[in-house]
Amino acid sequence: MKTLVNAKISGVHGYVPEYRLTNAELETMVDTNDEWIRSRTGIEERRILKGEGKATSDLAVPAVKALLEKTNTDPAEVDLIVVATVTEDMSFPDTANIICDKVGLSKAYGFDLHAACSGFIFALTTAAQFIQTGLHKKVIVVGADMMSAITDYTDRKTCILFGDAGGAVLLEPTYDDDCIIDSNLKCNPEGGKFLYKKAGGSLNPASIENVKAGDHFLFQDGRPVFKYAVNGMIDSINEVMERNNITKDDIDWIVPHQANLRILNSVAKGLDFPIDKVTINIQKYGNTTSATIPLCLWEWENTFKKGDNLILTAFGGGFTFGAIYLKWAY
Ligand code: UT7
């Protein structure tokens, strides 16, 4: 959709906590081994936020503070903050409000947005539309998750996958072509039963029984999710390219959600797209849910060139999925 004012990403920063949970340490916790984890997922280690009283906002705040500093942005200039997360500090107030307080975003308002592993692309699309109205000049989009808070470290099928991290981008208005150009977001409710957290919401409020049963941890039936993820990302990328009259040869980088190295290889193969133009850092951080894409943008920030064509793509619980087409703006 072409409007007069568009949104551009004018900065990105990430944060990962110090503690490294290695495959060797996981071998001491559950019946698994380094070879299985590397060959089935590509993950070598993940970061974990340790310490009393720590929460998802503690992953977001360092990223937002560093982002403001590097873009010379006064915290009081920020209009809005949109936070993608499934591990909010508490169900309310929103983590966005807590970040506003901790960072000193004195004039901003904000809200949390849930779309599981697709959270960042849903939040980026939402935030870009606030810029396109002309009413917002500086909007921060955060993807942050403390997955260790909802991971069962006795379940080998899931505990090897997830890590903690946060990332943030600054969105500003532009009349230039280097901007967020199009977004193709989808959901498929058939996926609800394969990836979810049973308890803690209004359907199954917290109780001694459901905590004893481990229902406050995330559940995943990995195999079907894998298949849907590959097809969902390929289809949404193909659709967004088609409606913008571009082909894979026009794409400089694909920046995908990092859930499994085999998924990334299958997506590249399915699109016949070179794997060395796909950003991959899953080996270092595992699946950090809403944070994977901003962490990749942060790591590749100095490699991208102004005007590069990027496709961001994600797939997650819901199912939610999609692809964003943008031109890198700096
Ligand atoms: O980010 C949101 C979206 N999520 C995803 O995209 C995740 C998609 N799914 C996956 O990435 C993969 O399905 C997993 C990595 C989760 C699992 O890999 P898989 O190749 O699908 O394995 P599987 O679940 O089919 O299990 C194969 C075998 C099973 O043993 P049997 O039944 O064949 O004897 C599992 O019990 O591997 C066993 N297994 C393990 N063995 C050692 C499962 N987890 C482990 C483990 N270590 N950690």
Side-chain angles (χ1 to χ4, degrees), residues 131-148:
I131 298 274
Q132 286 172 330
T133 64
L135 298 173
H136 297 72
K137 307 287 182 221
K138 289 188 192 287
V139 178
I140 291 176
V141 183
V142 168
D145 270 300
M146 184 175 167
M147 294 305 291
S148 60

Side-chain angles (χ1 to χ4, degrees), residues 25-329:
E25 186 175 352
L26 282 164
E27 284 179 11
T28 70
M29 296 159 66
V30 287
D31 179 15
T32 191
N33 59 76
D34 178 54
E35 203 284 315
W36 192 95
I37 301 173
R38 279 177 198 254
S39 62
R40 304 309 293 171
T41 71
I43 302 169
E44 294 167 19
E45 60 182 32
R46 49 308 275 141
R47 301 298 183 95
I48 302 296
L49 184 61
K50 298 264 186 183
E52 276 297 297
K54 296 287 185 193
T56 292
S57 62
D58 296 301
L59 298 163
V61 165
V64 174
K65 282 186 173 166
L67 174 69
L68 294 175
E69 206 178 302
K70 82 197 268 192
T71 55
N72 287 316
T73 306
D74 178 347
E77 286 179 277
V78 176
D79 302 303
L80 167 67
I81 177 166
V82 183
V83 179
T85 188
V86 289
T87 54
E88 61 280 359
D89 287 21
M90 50 188 89
S91 66
F92 66 92
D94 276 5
T95 308
N97 301 140
I98 296 166
I99 297 169
C100 283
D101 181 39
K102 288 185 177 176
V103 177
L105 304 179
S106 52
K107 304 225 173 76
Y109 70 101
F111 54 87
D112 293 0
L113 187 153
H114 287 232
C117 290
S118 308
F120 186 76
I121 62 168
F122 277 56
L124 189 61
T125 302
T126 304
Q129 290 166 357
F130 280 88
I131 298 274
Q132 286 172 330
T133 64
L135 298 173
H136 297 72
K137 307 287 182 221
K138 289 188 192 287
V139 178
I140 291 176
V141 183
V142 168
D145 270 300
M146 184 175 167
M147 294 305 291
S148 60
I150 59 164
T151 298
D152 178 357
Y153 287 97
T154 65
D155 173 15
R156 70 175 183 172
K157 288 187 175 162
T158 52
C159 73
I160 54 136
L161 298 171
F162 296 99
D164 302 338
V169 300
L170 178 65
L171 289 188
E172 291 182 276
T174 182
Y175 294 94
D176 211 294
D177 285 344
D178 298 336
C179 62
I180 295 172
I181 296 170
D182 193 14
S183 175
N184 179 25
L185 303 182
K186 292 162 181 291
C187 79
N188 175 357
E190 273 172 38
K193 58 184 176 294
F194 300 122
L195 179 49
Y196 67 115
K197 188 158 81 76
K198 266 185 212 169
S202 54
L203 181 62
N204 283 307
S207 69
I208 290 170
E209 288 71 31
N210 58 38
V211 170
K212 271 190 186 156
D215 292 344
H216 59 306
F217 293 125
L218 74 91
F219 165 85
Q220 177 173 248
D221 183 358
R223 249 181 227 187
V225 180
F226 187 109
K227 279 192 207 140
Y228 278 97
V230 172
N231 295 331
M233 289 199 274
I234 291 175
D235 290 349
S236 34
I237 292 172
N238 276 328
E239 281 176 29
V240 86
M241 288 194 304
E242 200 179 315
R243 69 191 198 194
N244 289 281
N245 295 316
I246 54 169
T247 70
K248 65 183 172 64
D249 301 327
D250 300 309
I251 303 302
D252 296 291
W253 293 95
I254 292 180
V255 184
H257 168 56
Q258 314 277 305
N260 187 318
L261 182 58
R262 289 186 294 135
I263 293 181
L264 305 183
N265 285 326
S266 302
V267 170
K269 201 169 164 212
L271 292 165
D272 190 23
F273 188 79
I275 193 72
D276 58 347
K277 288 162 110 192
V278 178
T279 63
I280 297 174
N281 60 13
I282 189 172
Q283 70 282 2
K284 296 192 283 189
Y285 307 129
N287 182 347
T288 56
T289 303
S290 309
T292 59
I293 291 178
L295 283 187
C296 283
L297 294 175
W298 179 44
E299 189 165 339
W300 270 265
E301 183 186 22
N302 295 324
T303 307
F304 299 149
K305 294 189 293 295
K306 183 170 163 56
D308 272 359
N309 284 322
L310 268 60
I311 300 272
L312 317 186
T313 187
F315 189 92
F319 294 131
T320 52
F321 54 110
I324 292 177
Y325 167 41
L326 63 87
K327 282 181 182 285
W328 194 247

